[in-house]
Amino acid sequence: MTTANPNFLKLQNNYLFADIARKVAAFKQAHPDRRVISLGIGDVTRPLTPAVVQALRLAVDDMSVADRFHGYGPEQGYAFLREAIVQNDYVARGVSLSADEVFVSDGAKPDVGNFQELFSQDSIVAVTDPVYPVYVDSNVMAGRAGEQQGQRWDRIVYLPCVKENDFVPDFPSVRPDIIYLCYPNNPTGTVLSRAALQGWVDYARREGCVILYDSAYEAFITDPDVPHSIYELEGAQEVAVEFRSFSKTAGFTGLRCAYTVVPKALKISDGKGGQVSLHAMWNRRQSTKYNGCPYIVQRAAEAVYSPQGRRELQDVIASYQRNAALLRGAAGGMGLDVHGGVNAPYIWVGVPRGLDSWGFFDRLLQQAGLVCTPGAGFGAAGEGYVRLTAFGTPADTEEALRRLRNLY
Amino acid sequence: MTTANPNFLKLQNNYLFADIARKVAAFKQAHPDRRVISLGIGDVTRPLTPAVVQALRLAVDDMSVADRFHGYGPEQGYAFLREAIVQNDYVARGVSLSADEVFVSDGAKPDVGNFQELFSQDSIVAVTDPVYPVYVDSNVMAGRAGEQQGQRWDRIVYLPCVKENDFVPDFPSVRPDIIYLCYPNNPTGTVLSRAALQGWVDYARREGCVILYDSAYEAFITDPDVPHSIYELEGAQEVAVEFRSFSKTAGFTGLRCAYTVVPKALKISDGKGGQVSLHAMWNRRQSTKYNGCPYIVQRAAEAVYSPQGRRELQDVIASYQRNAALLRGAAGGMGLDVHGGVNAPYIWVGVPRGLDSWGFFDRLLQQAGLVCTPGAGFGAAGEGYVRLTAFGTPADTEEALRRLRNLY
């Protein structure tokens, strides 16, 4: 009989957000009259902006006539979008990249989930703790995580990000091959300063590691000392891959567009004394197993960089930033320990004494009809915290504040 | 230093269609005055139909206003599309499936390429020869193919489909765990009768194999004895996964939508004496590494099943079928050996004596400005043939016929 990949079977059946969805569904069934407000899953609420909608409409028109119809596109993305990305997200910040170092895709989650395929199975993986679960789960499925011991996997190197180290991970005692870093951080909402990130780039260069850098939330950065791209740091193109997304910056969670930068300067060992280019490997992976992001979606993403698109999205981001500031203020005013939310759409809130993170989740749901994300779902070091997101509507955010004030 | 996945490095750098593109680009540069007509890569030329365009426009409108905006959707696809698929593609043919056995995605290529992740690394894979390269390459990358010996891999079981067996694969002498079948076939354009496919289903049930059935071209079937879905055969839900795509049936090559059916009845070994559900495993894979097909694209796919959408697409398919008949006739009239093209958009043409398939490719390109796909690119048993596709415009197809007649 055909046999399953044993590494898949090591994963628990349920995924964090599925667990939350089940609890929320049960609450709604028991209380059909109460309106639940989600500060949980990080989905946006503002619609696509007019510039993006207009670009989509024009692209749909293209698809409706034979001489402007677009069939299979390049698996790596259309040049018009790759060029716009390089000019606006990199050259404008003093970073020099070529357009063919950018791979457009349908999401940062697929890219982050698939990228580990390029590395040998015995590679040692380091992740921060708490962490976005996809980094860990995709490596469990690939057989790199070893066995589960409590909340941790015995072949994964965990880098705790806790109050004691100001949420800046220390270098590990065991040298990892692959280091996942996400800044502005999901779930803590904290950031790395330029100096701290340069420290990690230098570490990776010294130790021969690859950094997989997820900067999906860079649009929320307000502090000028916080780098938007890892390539702002010296030497990063030799050691780092960067994942970006239009999901949170432009409201594309339902439209699906992202990109991954794989610099040509980034080489790893071929296991036989030579070196290979990760750029060439990712190109081969995408050519074989991916068929490109829809043309109409790439035209929409291009419009994000137009003068009108930029103005409109600044307003959208500013509205989410206002939500974050309000939620930070409310949680702080309740005497809770509050982190993040200044350069990120996430606020990391210490739970009241006597509760754990699922306990606080349950209290917020049952007593206030509010959904948060329990920190323990992001790893052992997430216990004692919950994550709030700032992606609600202004009205929902105000209502959430009112309910929080009533609760305490 | 971080080390590459050694299985990735076993693959040749170049992919069949990239090789062709390079040759065509060189020809165009040398002959800027000559117009090249492609009968090569299977991309469609007819634009999206009015029903699909209208659905896209309405969905874009939805995305532009807060109360109809759609953010993250279900990774498995929206219920409205999963239901439409089950009703129209299955129930209408007497096949009973539930909507949650259908997983909507952005392409059959990603689904086919990713599905092998669910199986143990030592699984034995069988493919027809010639074969769509993704089946083989994705297994090479996963370490299941062994070493390359000439055009073949020493751990892959090849099922030759040649004139001598009327392009119907014989059962292998070694029992495989996973069998890739694609019917109507890419590249040969041939089909399996109901009896022949039942034979494969029975074989898989007897031997405990999983069939990965690619029916991306079912819309081109004209013969009533040819099954559109493997689930029309008895017992198939216990052994088969089916991959379908809107690319060729509805011109979605640039819009990107497909689906994979994983019946809940399909179980494999967990390697410890128990059984696991492939449905649960694929659900976990997609939840972890995929984020769903864009809402607007799923609305467009739904419109394919509307009365207007169906009428329009029947006309589109009919026009490609006319091209196929014309190309079949022309190649036959030239005294060449011709297969396929009746129930499929592909015509498999034996090359003239004295040439191999790349040699005939070169002659057609240099002397007629026509691009075909060399059969050898699809495997050892593809040598001696080229693949022609019927997806051109009527005008281009007429011009191709004229050039072919002039050549011989």
Side-chain angles (χ1 to χ4, degrees):
Chain A
M1 196 174 198
T2 307
T3 303
N5 177 343
N7 301 307
F8 263 69
L9 306 184
K10 292 179 180 174
L11 275 180
Q12 290 181 338
N13 270 329
N14 290 310
Y15 189 60
L16 173 60
F17 295 111
D19 291 341
I20 294 171
R22 207 176 41 243
K23 284 193 176 231
V24 172
F27 175 82
K28 285 180 176 172
Q29 194 158 19
H31 307 278
D33 53 314
R34 291 179 62 184
R35 196 169 73 85
V36 171
I37 293 178
S38 178
L39 304 168
I41 295 182
D43 199 359
V44 299
T45 52
R46 296 272 302 248
L48 297 178
T49 69
V52 170
V53 170
Q54 177 63 8
L56 268 177
R57 289 189 175 130
L58 291 174
V60 170
D61 289 347
D62 286 346
M63 296 294 280
S64 73
V65 290
D67 63 342
R68 298 204 311 274
F69 174 77
H70 285 68
Y72 288 122
E75 284 96 348
Q76 302 83 358
Y78 281 102
F80 65 76
L81 179 56
R82 301 169 96 186
E83 300 277 3
I85 289 167
V86 164
Q87 288 306 317
N88 291 279
D89 287 343
Y90 293 101
V91 171
R93 291 193 176 277
V95 174
S96 173
L97 283 173
S98 75
D100 67 351
E101 290 171 303
V102 174
F103 293 82
V104 175
S105 80
D106 69 326
K109 180 172 153 185
D111 284 359
V112 164
N114 294 329
F115 206 86
Q116 47 75 29
E117 293 178 20
L118 308 193
F119 301 106
S120 70
Q121 204 187 10
D122 61 358
S123 300
I124 302 293
V125 169
V127 297
T128 60
D129 181 5
V131 68
Y132 176 50
V134 170
Y135 309 155
V136 174
D137 290 357
S138 58
N139 279 290
V140 172
M141 289 172 165
R144 265 183 221 100
E147 301 301 323
Q148 195 165 16
Q149 321 235 324
Q151 266 205 282
R152 291 187 159 184
W153 295 86
D154 64 6
R155 286 195 77 245
I156 290 201
V157 174
Y158 290 90
L159 311 170
C161 293
V162 289
K163 201 174 171 179
E164 288 65 41
N165 62 11
D166 206 18
F167 298 93
V168 176
D170 299 313
F171 300 129
S173 51
V174 175
R175 174 200 158 274
D177 296 296
I178 304 159
I179 304 163
Y180 288 86
L181 294 176
C182 172
Y183 286 98
N185 187 253
N186 176 14
T188 66
T190 59
V191 290
L192 290 188
S193 68
R194 203 167 292 275
L197 188 55
Q198 184 70 60
W200 275 98
V201 170
D202 294 345
Y203 174 86
R205 294 175 78 186
R206 196 166 62 238
E207 300 288 340
C209 317
V210 172
I211 296 175
L212 299 181
Y213 193 74
D214 183 344
S215 59
Y217 305 99
E218 62 80 27
F220 294 85
I221 293 172
T222 53
D223 183 338
D225 184 47
V226 174
H228 288 243
S229 164
I230 195 168
Y231 304 124
E232 295 176 39
L233 289 308
E234 194 184 330
Q237 293 198 22
E238 297 165 28
V239 292
V241 172
E242 182 161 285
F243 301 94
R244 290 269 188 107
S245 171
F246 293 93
S247 285
K248 308 301 165 63
T249 55
F252 274 41
T253 52
L255 200 57
R256 314 299 322 138
C257 193
Y259 64 87
T260 292
V261 179
V262 192
K264 291 181 185 165
L266 178 44
K267 303 281 170 69
I268 62 173
S269 166
D270 68 0
K272 301 172 189 166
Q275 296 198 340
V276 288
S277 153
L278 268 184
H279 181 277
M281 289 181 74
W282 184 243
N283 190 52
R284 183 64 207 247
R285 194 270 169 210
Q286 293 297 81
S287 301
T288 302
K289 300 198 204 176
Y290 184 57
N291 238 333
C293 178
Y295 166 74
I296 59 176
V297 173
Q298 293 189 61
R299 283 292 183 202
E302 181 189 28
V304 167
Y305 298 109
S306 70
Q308 185 196 341
R310 296 167 71 99
R311 274 194 309 274
E312 291 168 354
L313 289 169
Q314 275 164 10
D315 289 346
V316 172
I317 299 283
S319 81
Y320 293 139
Q321 284 168 329
R322 271 193 302 276
N323 291 346
L326 290 170
L327 287 167
R328 263 184 69 87
M334 289 156 59
L336 300 175
D337 183 31
V338 182
H339 305 274
V342 175
N343 294 293
Y346 296 124
I347 304 111
W348 194 237
V349 180
V351 305
R353 196 166 299 174
L355 289 178
D356 64 9
S357 65
W358 276 106
F360 193 46
F361 170 92
D362 287 332
R363 179 183 291 181
L364 285 177
L365 179 61
Q366 298 297 330
Q367 298 184 6
L370 295 176
V371 180
C372 64
T373 312
F378 297 103
E383 184 51 270
Y385 290 89
V386 299
R387 186 189 76 173
L388 304 183
T389 72
F391 291 118
T393 61
D396 273 358
T397 305
E398 290 287 355
E399 170 65 13
L401 295 178
R402 202 184 55 73
R403 295 187 191 179
L404 283 173
R405 278 192 298 263
N406 286 347
L407 190 61
Y408 284 90
Chain B
M1 195 177 200
T2 307
T3 303
N5 176 344
N7 300 308
F8 263 69
L9 306 183
K10 291 178 181 174
L11 275 181
Q12 292 180 339
N13 270 327
N14 291 308
Y15 189 61
L16 172 61
F17 295 111
D19 291 342
I20 294 172
R22 207 174 42 242
K23 284 194 176 229
V24 172
F27 175 82
K28 284 180 175 170
Q29 191 158 21
H31 307 280
D33 53 314
R34 291 178 63 185
R35 195 169 75 85
V36 170
I37 293 176
S38 178
L39 304 168
I41 295 182
D43 199 359
V44 299
T45 52
R46 296 271 302 251
L48 296 178
T49 68
V52 170
V53 169
Q54 179 63 9
L56 269 177
R57 287 189 176 129
L58 292 174
V60 170
D61 290 347
D62 286 346
M63 295 293 281
S64 72
V65 290
D67 62 343
R68 297 204 312 273
F69 174 76
H70 284 67
Y72 288 122
E75 286 96 347
Q76 302 83 356
Y78 281 102
F80 64 76
L81 180 55
R82 300 170 95 185
E83 300 276 3
I85 289 167
V86 164
Q87 288 306 316
N88 290 278
D89 287 343
Y90 294 100
V91 172
R93 291 193 176 278
V95 175
S96 173
L97 283 173
S98 75
D100 66 351
E101 291 173 302
V102 174
F103 293 83
V104 175
S105 80
D106 69 326
K109 180 173 154 184
D111 284 358
V112 164
N114 294 330
F115 206 86
Q116 47 75 30
E117 292 177 22
L118 308 194
F119 301 106
S120 70
Q121 204 187 12
D122 61 359
S123 301
I124 302 292
V125 170
V127 297
T128 61
D129 180 7
V131 69
Y132 176 50
V134 169
Y135 310 153
V136 174
D137 290 359
S138 57
N139 279 290
V140 172
M141 289 171 164
R144 265 182 221 101
E147 300 301 322
Q148 196 165 17
Q149 320 235 324
Q151 266 205 281
R152 292 187 159 182
W153 295 86
D154 64 6
R155 285 195 79 245
I156 290 202
V157 174
Y158 290 90
L159 310 171
C161 292
V162 290
K163 200 174 171 179
E164 289 66 39
N165 61 12
D166 206 19
F167 298 94
V168 177
D170 299 312
F171 300 128
S173 50
V174 176
R175 176 200 156 274
D177 297 295
I178 305 159
I179 304 164
Y180 289 86
L181 293 178
C182 172
Y183 288 98
N185 186 251
N186 175 15
T188 66
T190 59
V191 290
L192 290 188
S193 68
R194 203 168 291 274
L197 187 55
Q198 184 70 61
W200 276 98
V201 169
D202 294 345
Y203 174 86
R205 293 175 79 186
R206 196 165 60 238
E207 301 288 340
C209 318
V210 172
I211 296 176
L212 300 181
Y213 193 73
D214 183 345
S215 60
Y217 305 99
E218 61 81 28
F220 293 86
I221 293 172
T222 54
D223 183 338
D225 185 46
V226 175
H228 288 242
S229 162
I230 195 167
Y231 304 124
E232 294 176 40
L233 289 308
E234 194 185 330
Q237 293 196 24
E238 297 165 28
V239 291
V241 172
E242 182 160 287
F243 302 94
R244 290 269 187 107
S245 170
F246 294 93
S247 285
K248 307 302 166 60
T249 54
F252 275 41
T253 53
L255 200 56
R256 314 298 323 137
C257 193
Y259 64 87
T260 292
V261 179
V262 191
K264 291 180 185 165
L266 178 43
K267 303 281 169 67
I268 61 173
S269 165
D270 68 359
K272 300 172 191 168
Q275 296 199 339
V276 288
S277 153
L278 269 184
H279 182 277
M281 290 182 73
W282 185 243
N283 191 50
R284 183 66 207 245
R285 193 272 168 209
Q286 292 298 81
S287 301
T288 303
K289 300 196 201 177
Y290 184 57
N291 238 333
C293 177
Y295 166 74
I296 59 175
V297 173
Q298 292 189 62
R299 282 292 183 200
E302 182 189 29
V304 166
Y305 298 108
S306 70
Q308 186 196 341
R310 296 169 70 99
R311 274 195 307 275
E312 291 168 353
L313 289 169
Q314 276 165 9
D315 290 346
V316 172
I317 299 283
S319 81
Y320 293 139
Q321 284 169 327
R322 271 194 301 277
N323 290 346
L326 289 170
L327 287 166
R328 265 185 70 86
M334 289 156 60
L336 300 175
D337 184 31
V338 182
H339 305 276
V342 175
N343 294 295
Y346 296 125
I347 303 113
W348 192 237
V349 179
V351 305
R353 197 165 298 174
L355 288 178
D356 64 9
S357 66
W358 276 105
F360 192 47
F361 171 92
D362 287 332
R363 180 184 289 179
L364 286 177
L365 179 60
Q366 297 296 331
Q367 297 184 5
L370 294 176
V371 180
C372 64
T373 313
F378 297 102
E383 184 52 272
Y385 291 89
V386 300
R387 187 190 74 173
L388 303 183
T389 73
F391 291 117
T393 62
D396 273 359
T397 304
E398 290 287 353
E399 170 65 14
L401 295 178
R402 204 185 53 72
R403 294 185 191 180
L404 283 173
R405 280 192 295 264
N406 286 346
L407 189 62
Y408 283 89

